[in-house]
Amino acid sequence: MTDPNAIQPSALDQLPDRDPEETAEWQASLDAVAREAGPHRAAYLMRRTLERAEAGGIALPKLLETDYVNTIPTSAEPGLPGDPEMEARITAWNRWNAAAMVTRGSKYGVGGHIATFASAAWLYETGFNHFFKGKEGDGSGDQLYIQGHASPGIYARAFLDGRLNEAHLDNFRQEAGGNGLPSYPHPRRLPWLWEFPTVSMGLGPLSAIYQARFNRYLTNRGIKDVSASHVWAFLGDGEMDEPESTAALALAAREELDNLTFVINCNLQRLDGPVRANFKIVQELEAQFRGAGWNVVKTLWGTAWDELFALDTTGALVRRLREVPDAQIQTYQTRDAAYIRADFFGKDPALAEMAKLLSDDKILECFHLSRGGHEARKVYAAYRAAVEHKGAPTVILAQTVKGHTLGEGFASKNANHQMKKLTVDEFKTMRDLLGLPIKDSDFTDGQVPYGHPGADSPEVRYLQERRAALGGPAPARRTHALAPLPAPAEKAFASFDKGSGSQNVATTMAFVRLVKDLVRDKETGRRWVPIVPDEARTFGMESLFPSLGIYSPKGQTYEPVDRDQLMYYKEAKNGQILNEGITEAGSMADFIAASTAYATHGEAMIPFYIFYSMFGWQRTADQMWQLGDQLGRGFLVGATAGRTTLTGEGLQHADGHSPVIAATNPAALTYDPAFAYEIAVIVREGLRRMYGEAKPGEDQNVFYYLTVYNEPLPQPAKPAGLGIDEGIVKGLYRFNTAESAGLSPAANAPRIQLLGSGTAIHWTLQAQKLLAEEWGVAADVWSATSWSELRRDAMEADAALLRGEERVPYVRQALQGAEGPVLAVSDYMRQVPDQIAQWVEQDWSSLGADGFGLSDTREAARRHFGVDAESIVVAALAQLARRGEVKATAVKEAREKYGL
């Protein structure tokens, strides 16, 4: 039996020991220290030895955890510049007004959060006074990802510096009147202040990493030098449980993003209770980030603890701090000195002796108040260490107390995230604690007053001077007066008008071919940002590798295995393609950073992100909302789209619903083009709308979602006639009639209107021919390029009617006078075409691929879902039979004839 206490073999045992005697001496020394000074001393020496080895560049595994103490000792802290007393007064005013704003709003039932900012106030104030670069200086300034629940504190500071007034604060979470403040950071609702929406937890850290990376991308490609910009992401320790929060840590370290700092507010509480009740979240995060290659700075204890650490000559205090679980640390925050003496110090004889030297006041000061995240000097030291560190991103783990300064009813209480107000007496206690000059008489009618020292007060002047020195207000979003991008040469788009002749071309390939032409444009080609999650070859994009290059900050340090081939895998420091590996979330974060560069950096970039359509809206729809919230622009391309076109892949790949999800996003313009020339028209219009000359009243802050297919088919020429382009853009146009298709229907033939989108139009055209040749029915075929845009227009028409304006929906105008009923067909669930049913005057019916996908051939899948040409014929005959325009027996005959 193996001795469980025996030292287990390691990988080093597989290497020859060149000096066994020396090895034995080292091991004997360690045994002697453990025997004479105790195992804790031995562990201490080993950690210090490993740290020395790491600092000296000796190749050893890194320590993943350090002691539960500050990374930067008090003796090594730099002096705090500026006026600490002035900054303390400013922070006091911000704490007060943040709590007052939420409390005053609570009478309207709109809610709000007080405790988060109370714990993080110094984390923000220190940055605003000494680190965060504004946008009025050189470059683009810093990018600040503010923790969503801390927004009241940011509003309070904007109130102090004159960017907001009392009316704004009184309309916190009351936006309907047009003068309110959104509950959380939201660029679409408050576009002059907020840059990044962050309250969908986990997306902030992920986006911050890719923003820092995109900054490097812009610099390395020579678009704009933003090397002076620093990305700061303020996060909660509970938020780090979201998988997106840590999904890209390795990328940040791998690409040495030392322009990035995470500040994690470790108040040890999430929404309902402790983050790690029985464990230690700080230690867990330290190990996680160190293991990923980040620089870790722990700022845990305030200066009041210095005396305790000086008394800890045996290491007992450090050991005890390491073993006490977070929930117990939280309990100490709420208990008296006697309890702490017994439960914390009483567990170890050495600590019990130490406690005899400490007064009750000293114990309470340490355990109730003194945290590293509550002291400007400690925070400043951590921030300076972060910005000076080179070669890796930094995470600052700052320990705080949730609800700090809000009184005993808030501090460290499990329910404080849901506590929305303080009583008048609690505010008066808070006022006395903060030393604010607010009189009892200012509390009129039991309402807490806002506090302001005056526009010309020393506090406000100091605040504004510090911000001026750092480049202007922060946070702030700037909409730059950018000249419209010139339209690419018409030749790139017109080349699709003639069709593909006898050549079969999938619409996915048509889109890629269009992009290949557009990236060569002399004016705008360099602004395209192709993004693909490790599927470039699937989409036929490998030809772009050698011409555009795949972005890598390291360039290409190896000889690619396919270097002798024309389309070899080429990486380059100035590469244009972002090939993200298998990460749709990372690709979307890239897209968001690129799509908002027009505001963040004053540089219009044109991202297109191409992906398996099933792995877009279904997997990353939350980020697509974030994209709309952040006013992003660009092209999302759902390739290999539809439920029946991706042969053999089956249920998980068969997209029958992405246009439904996309239709819920007000910023998304969703198109399902059938033909190559439609793609050209849509992309050209998208470039004009998002990057060119906007029409009066037109919102440029939109993004396009195009579904394209992997089914190679002949691409027809663009029909002649007026209004085709307009119909493509608006969502519907008549592709042909039975007569123009050369089907020669009888003069009195029953007629039906067939509406098809995407690849379904090919089955519709087959059905048109069968209806004419086998059933004597004349069918006109319409291409529905966008069901959702038709619906959007119709809803706007309805709204106009309520305002007393006469307006007819475009879909009704287009179909006006069209004979017979309407049958709509798509490769998606029927809910997609049914979006417009209520605005169609003709009798309406639809076919779609509802249900789960399956693995089979395209033909078998279409027959299974009842959307193939023969099924369309039967459905059309059934619709006409209900109207008495064909015999009822025709439906049965058709079913039998086609084996349905």
Side-chain angles (χ1 to χ4, degrees), residues 470-510:
L470 288 166
R477 182 180 183 273
R478 293 288 182 265
T479 301
H480 301 264
L482 300 179
L485 293 183
E490 182 61 26
K491 180 181 178 181
F493 305 105
S495 63
F496 292 90
D497 289 353
K498 62 180 181 295
S500 64
S502 59
Q503 181 183 5
N504 290 336
V505 177
T507 51
T508 297
M509 304 312 300

Short mmCIF file of all heavy atoms in Angstrom, two decimals, residues 470-510:
data_model
loop_
_atom_site.label_atom_id
_atom_site.label_comp_id
_atom_site.label_asym_id
_atom_site.label_seq_id
_atom_site.Cartn_x
_atom_site.Cartn_y
_atom_site.Cartn_z
N LEU A 470 -5.55 66.06 -16.24
CA LEU A 470 -5.58 64.70 -16.80
C LEU A 470 -6.28 64.62 -18.14
O LEU A 470 -6.45 63.52 -18.68
CB LEU A 470 -6.24 63.75 -15.80
CG LEU A 470 -5.41 63.43 -14.56
CD1 LEU A 470 -6.27 62.78 -13.49
CD2 LEU A 470 -4.23 62.53 -14.92
N GLY A 471 -6.72 65.76 -18.69
CA GLY A 471 -7.31 65.73 -20.03
C GLY A 471 -8.81 65.86 -20.09
O GLY A 471 -9.42 65.44 -21.08
N GLY A 472 -9.43 66.42 -19.06
CA GLY A 472 -10.86 66.69 -19.14
C GLY A 472 -11.71 65.71 -18.36
O GLY A 472 -11.21 64.78 -17.72
N PRO A 473 -13.04 65.93 -18.39
CA PRO A 473 -13.96 65.13 -17.57
C PRO A 473 -13.88 63.64 -17.88
O PRO A 473 -13.56 63.24 -19.00
CB PRO A 473 -15.34 65.70 -17.95
CG PRO A 473 -15.07 67.03 -18.54
CD PRO A 473 -13.73 66.94 -19.20
N ALA A 474 -14.23 62.86 -16.90
CA ALA A 474 -14.32 61.41 -17.07
C ALA A 474 -15.32 60.89 -16.04
O ALA A 474 -15.39 61.42 -14.93
CB ALA A 474 -12.96 60.75 -16.88
N PRO A 475 -16.11 59.87 -16.41
CA PRO A 475 -16.17 59.30 -17.75
C PRO A 475 -16.84 60.27 -18.72
O PRO A 475 -17.60 61.15 -18.30
CB PRO A 475 -17.01 58.04 -17.56
CG PRO A 475 -17.89 58.35 -16.39
CD PRO A 475 -17.05 59.21 -15.48
N ALA A 476 -16.54 60.09 -19.99
CA ALA A 476 -17.14 60.93 -21.01
C ALA A 476 -17.09 60.18 -22.33
O ALA A 476 -16.14 59.44 -22.59
CB ALA A 476 -16.40 62.26 -21.14
N ARG A 477 -18.12 60.36 -23.11
CA ARG A 477 -18.15 59.79 -24.45
C ARG A 477 -18.16 60.95 -25.44
O ARG A 477 -18.90 61.92 -25.26
CB ARG A 477 -19.38 58.91 -24.65
CG ARG A 477 -19.48 58.24 -26.02
CD ARG A 477 -20.74 57.37 -26.11
NE ARG A 477 -20.82 56.68 -27.38
CZ ARG A 477 -21.37 57.20 -28.48
NH1 ARG A 477 -21.88 58.45 -28.45
NH2 ARG A 477 -21.42 56.52 -29.60
N ARG A 478 -17.38 60.86 -26.47
CA ARG A 478 -17.30 61.90 -27.48
C ARG A 478 -17.79 61.37 -28.82
O ARG A 478 -17.36 60.31 -29.26
CB ARG A 478 -15.86 62.41 -27.63
CG ARG A 478 -15.35 63.15 -26.40
CD ARG A 478 -16.01 64.52 -26.26
NE ARG A 478 -15.48 65.25 -25.12
CZ ARG A 478 -16.03 65.26 -23.91
NH1 ARG A 478 -17.13 64.54 -23.69
NH2 ARG A 478 -15.52 65.98 -22.93
N THR A 479 -18.69 62.12 -29.44
CA THR A 479 -19.08 61.82 -30.80
C THR A 479 -18.30 62.76 -31.70
O THR A 479 -18.56 63.96 -31.74
CB THR A 479 -20.59 62.00 -31.00
OG1 THR A 479 -21.28 61.13 -30.10
CG2 THR A 479 -20.99 61.64 -32.43
N HIS A 480 -17.34 62.23 -32.40
CA HIS A 480 -16.45 63.05 -33.21
C HIS A 480 -17.15 63.47 -34.51
O HIS A 480 -17.93 62.72 -35.09
CB HIS A 480 -15.17 62.28 -33.54
CG HIS A 480 -14.42 61.85 -32.33
ND1 HIS A 480 -13.37 62.55 -31.80
CD2 HIS A 480 -14.57 60.77 -31.52
CE1 HIS A 480 -12.90 61.94 -30.73
NE2 HIS A 480 -13.61 60.83 -30.54
N ALA A 481 -16.85 64.66 -34.94
CA ALA A 481 -17.41 65.18 -36.19
C ALA A 481 -16.62 64.58 -37.35
O ALA A 481 -15.76 65.25 -37.96
CB ALA A 481 -17.36 66.70 -36.21
N LEU A 482 -16.87 63.33 -37.63
CA LEU A 482 -16.13 62.64 -38.68
C LEU A 482 -16.74 62.91 -40.04
O LEU A 482 -17.97 62.94 -40.20
CB LEU A 482 -16.12 61.13 -38.42
CG LEU A 482 -15.49 60.65 -37.11
CD1 LEU A 482 -15.60 59.14 -37.00
CD2 LEU A 482 -14.05 61.10 -37.01
N ALA A 483 -15.89 63.11 -41.02
CA ALA A 483 -16.38 63.24 -42.39
C ALA A 483 -16.93 61.90 -42.84
O ALA A 483 -16.38 60.84 -42.49
CB ALA A 483 -15.25 63.70 -43.30
N PRO A 484 -18.02 61.89 -43.59
CA PRO A 484 -18.54 60.61 -44.10
C PRO A 484 -17.47 59.89 -44.91
O PRO A 484 -16.70 60.52 -45.64
CB PRO A 484 -19.72 61.03 -44.98
CG PRO A 484 -20.10 62.39 -44.49
CD PRO A 484 -18.84 63.04 -44.03
N LEU A 485 -17.42 58.57 -44.75
CA LEU A 485 -16.48 57.81 -45.56
C LEU A 485 -16.93 57.83 -47.01
O LEU A 485 -18.13 57.73 -47.30
CB LEU A 485 -16.40 56.36 -45.07
CG LEU A 485 -15.79 56.12 -43.69
CD1 LEU A 485 -15.72 54.62 -43.42
CD2 LEU A 485 -14.41 56.74 -43.59
N PRO A 486 -16.01 57.98 -47.94
CA PRO A 486 -16.41 57.96 -49.35
C PRO A 486 -16.95 56.58 -49.74
O PRO A 486 -16.47 55.56 -49.24
CB PRO A 486 -15.11 58.27 -50.09
CG PRO A 486 -14.02 57.92 -49.14
CD PRO A 486 -14.56 58.17 -47.77
N ALA A 487 -17.93 56.56 -50.59
CA ALA A 487 -18.50 55.29 -51.03
C ALA A 487 -17.48 54.54 -51.88
O ALA A 487 -16.78 55.15 -52.69
CB ALA A 487 -19.77 55.54 -51.84
N PRO A 488 -17.37 53.24 -51.70
CA PRO A 488 -16.47 52.47 -52.56
C PRO A 488 -16.91 52.57 -54.02
O PRO A 488 -18.05 52.92 -54.33
CB PRO A 488 -16.62 51.04 -52.03
CG PRO A 488 -17.16 51.19 -50.65
CD PRO A 488 -18.01 52.41 -50.68
N ALA A 489 -15.99 52.24 -54.90
CA ALA A 489 -16.30 52.29 -56.33
C ALA A 489 -17.50 51.41 -56.66
O ALA A 489 -17.62 50.29 -56.15
CB ALA A 489 -15.08 51.85 -57.12
N GLU A 490 -18.38 51.91 -57.49
CA GLU A 490 -19.61 51.21 -57.84
C GLU A 490 -19.33 49.87 -58.51
O GLU A 490 -20.14 48.94 -58.42
CB GLU A 490 -20.45 52.09 -58.75
CG GLU A 490 -21.80 51.50 -59.15
CD GLU A 490 -22.73 51.24 -57.96
OE1 GLU A 490 -22.56 51.92 -56.92
OE2 GLU A 490 -23.61 50.36 -58.08
N LYS A 491 -18.17 49.75 -59.11
CA LYS A 491 -17.84 48.53 -59.83
C LYS A 491 -17.91 47.30 -58.94
O LYS A 491 -18.34 46.22 -59.36
CB LYS A 491 -16.43 48.66 -60.42
CG LYS A 491 -15.96 47.45 -61.19
CD LYS A 491 -14.54 47.66 -61.73
CE LYS A 491 -14.04 46.42 -62.46
NZ LYS A 491 -12.65 46.61 -62.95
N ALA A 492 -17.52 47.46 -57.66
CA ALA A 492 -17.53 46.32 -56.74
C ALA A 492 -18.93 45.77 -56.56
O ALA A 492 -19.12 44.55 -56.42
CB ALA A 492 -16.94 46.73 -55.40
N PHE A 493 -19.93 46.64 -56.56
CA PHE A 493 -21.31 46.21 -56.36
C PHE A 493 -21.97 45.80 -57.67
O PHE A 493 -22.72 44.82 -57.73
CB PHE A 493 -22.10 47.34 -55.72
CG PHE A 493 -21.51 47.86 -54.44
CD1 PHE A 493 -20.84 49.07 -54.41
CD2 PHE A 493 -21.60 47.12 -53.27
CE1 PHE A 493 -20.29 49.55 -53.24
CE2 PHE A 493 -21.05 47.59 -52.08
CZ PHE A 493 -20.38 48.81 -52.07
N ALA A 494 -21.70 46.55 -58.71
CA ALA A 494 -22.37 46.30 -60.00
C ALA A 494 -21.96 44.98 -60.62
O ALA A 494 -22.69 44.43 -61.45
CB ALA A 494 -22.05 47.46 -60.97
N SER A 495 -20.80 44.44 -60.22
CA SER A 495 -20.35 43.19 -60.83
C SER A 495 -21.29 42.03 -60.54
O SER A 495 -21.24 41.01 -61.22
CB SER A 495 -18.94 42.85 -60.31
OG SER A 495 -18.96 42.63 -58.91
N PHE A 496 -22.17 42.19 -59.55
CA PHE A 496 -23.11 41.12 -59.21
C PHE A 496 -24.41 41.23 -60.01
O PHE A 496 -25.23 40.32 -59.97
CB PHE A 496 -23.42 41.14 -57.71
CG PHE A 496 -22.25 40.76 -56.85
CD1 PHE A 496 -21.37 41.73 -56.40
CD2 PHE A 496 -22.02 39.44 -56.52
CE1 PHE A 496 -20.29 41.39 -55.61
CE2 PHE A 496 -20.94 39.08 -55.73
CZ PHE A 496 -20.06 40.06 -55.28
N ASP A 497 -24.60 42.35 -60.69
CA ASP A 497 -25.88 42.57 -61.37
C ASP A 497 -26.12 41.59 -62.50
O ASP A 497 -27.26 41.25 -62.81
CB ASP A 497 -25.95 44.01 -61.91
CG ASP A 497 -26.09 45.03 -60.80
OD1 ASP A 497 -26.27 44.62 -59.64
OD2 ASP A 497 -26.03 46.24 -61.11
N LYS A 498 -25.07 41.14 -63.12
CA LYS A 498 -25.24 40.27 -64.30
C LYS A 498 -25.46 38.81 -63.94
O LYS A 498 -25.72 37.98 -64.81
CB LYS A 498 -24.03 40.40 -65.23
CG LYS A 498 -22.71 39.98 -64.64
CD LYS A 498 -21.59 40.17 -65.66
CE LYS A 498 -20.23 39.74 -65.10
NZ LYS A 498 -19.78 40.56 -63.98
N GLY A 499 -25.33 38.47 -62.65
CA GLY A 499 -25.54 37.10 -62.24
C GLY A 499 -24.30 36.25 -62.47
O GLY A 499 -23.25 36.72 -62.90
N SER A 500 -24.44 34.94 -62.20
CA SER A 500 -23.29 34.03 -62.32
C SER A 500 -23.37 33.13 -63.53
O SER A 500 -22.54 32.24 -63.70
CB SER A 500 -23.19 33.17 -61.05
OG SER A 500 -24.34 32.33 -60.93
N GLY A 501 -24.37 33.33 -64.39
CA GLY A 501 -24.51 32.47 -65.56
C GLY A 501 -24.79 31.04 -65.15
O GLY A 501 -25.64 30.76 -64.32
N SER A 502 -24.02 30.11 -65.70
CA SER A 502 -24.22 28.70 -65.39
C SER A 502 -23.45 28.26 -64.15
O SER A 502 -23.58 27.12 -63.69
CB SER A 502 -23.79 27.84 -66.58
OG SER A 502 -22.42 28.07 -66.88
N GLN A 503 -22.65 29.16 -63.59
CA GLN A 503 -21.84 28.81 -62.42
C GLN A 503 -22.69 28.84 -61.16
O GLN A 503 -23.48 29.75 -60.94
CB GLN A 503 -20.68 29.80 -62.28
CG GLN A 503 -19.76 29.49 -61.10
CD GLN A 503 -18.66 30.53 -60.94
OE1 GLN A 503 -18.64 31.53 -61.65
NE2 GLN A 503 -17.76 30.30 -60.01
N ASN A 504 -22.53 27.81 -60.34
CA ASN A 504 -23.22 27.76 -59.05
C ASN A 504 -22.41 28.52 -58.00
O ASN A 504 -21.22 28.26 -57.82
CB ASN A 504 -23.42 26.32 -58.60
CG ASN A 504 -24.45 25.59 -59.45
OD1 ASN A 504 -25.30 26.23 -60.06
ND2 ASN A 504 -24.37 24.28 -59.50
N VAL A 505 -23.07 29.45 -57.32
CA VAL A 505 -22.40 30.27 -56.31
C VAL A 505 -23.30 30.37 -55.09
O VAL A 505 -24.47 30.77 -55.21
CB VAL A 505 -22.09 31.69 -56.84
CG1 VAL A 505 -21.45 32.54 -55.75
CG2 VAL A 505 -21.18 31.62 -58.06
N ALA A 506 -22.79 30.01 -53.93
CA ALA A 506 -23.54 30.18 -52.68
C ALA A 506 -23.49 31.64 -52.26
O ALA A 506 -22.53 32.36 -52.56
CB ALA A 506 -22.96 29.29 -51.58
N THR A 507 -24.53 32.09 -51.58
CA THR A 507 -24.54 33.50 -51.17
C THR A 507 -23.45 33.80 -50.15
O THR A 507 -22.99 34.94 -50.06
CB THR A 507 -25.92 33.91 -50.62
OG1 THR A 507 -26.33 32.98 -49.61
CG2 THR A 507 -26.95 33.95 -51.73
N THR A 508 -23.01 32.79 -49.38
CA THR A 508 -21.86 33.01 -48.50
C THR A 508 -20.64 33.40 -49.32
O THR A 508 -19.92 34.36 -49.00
CB THR A 508 -21.54 31.75 -47.68
OG1 THR A 508 -22.65 31.45 -46.83
CG2 THR A 508 -20.30 31.93 -46.83
N MET A 509 -20.41 32.67 -50.41
CA MET A 509 -19.26 32.97 -51.26
C MET A 509 -19.43 34.32 -51.95
O MET A 509 -18.45 35.05 -52.16
CB MET A 509 -19.07 31.87 -52.29
CG MET A 509 -18.92 30.49 -51.70
SD MET A 509 -17.72 30.41 -50.34
CE MET A 509 -16.24 30.95 -51.17
N ALA A 510 -20.66 34.67 -52.29
CA ALA A 510 -20.90 35.97 -52.91
C ALA A 510 -20.53 37.10 -51.96
O ALA A 510 -19.91 38.09 -52.35
CB ALA A 510 -22.35 36.08 -53.35
#
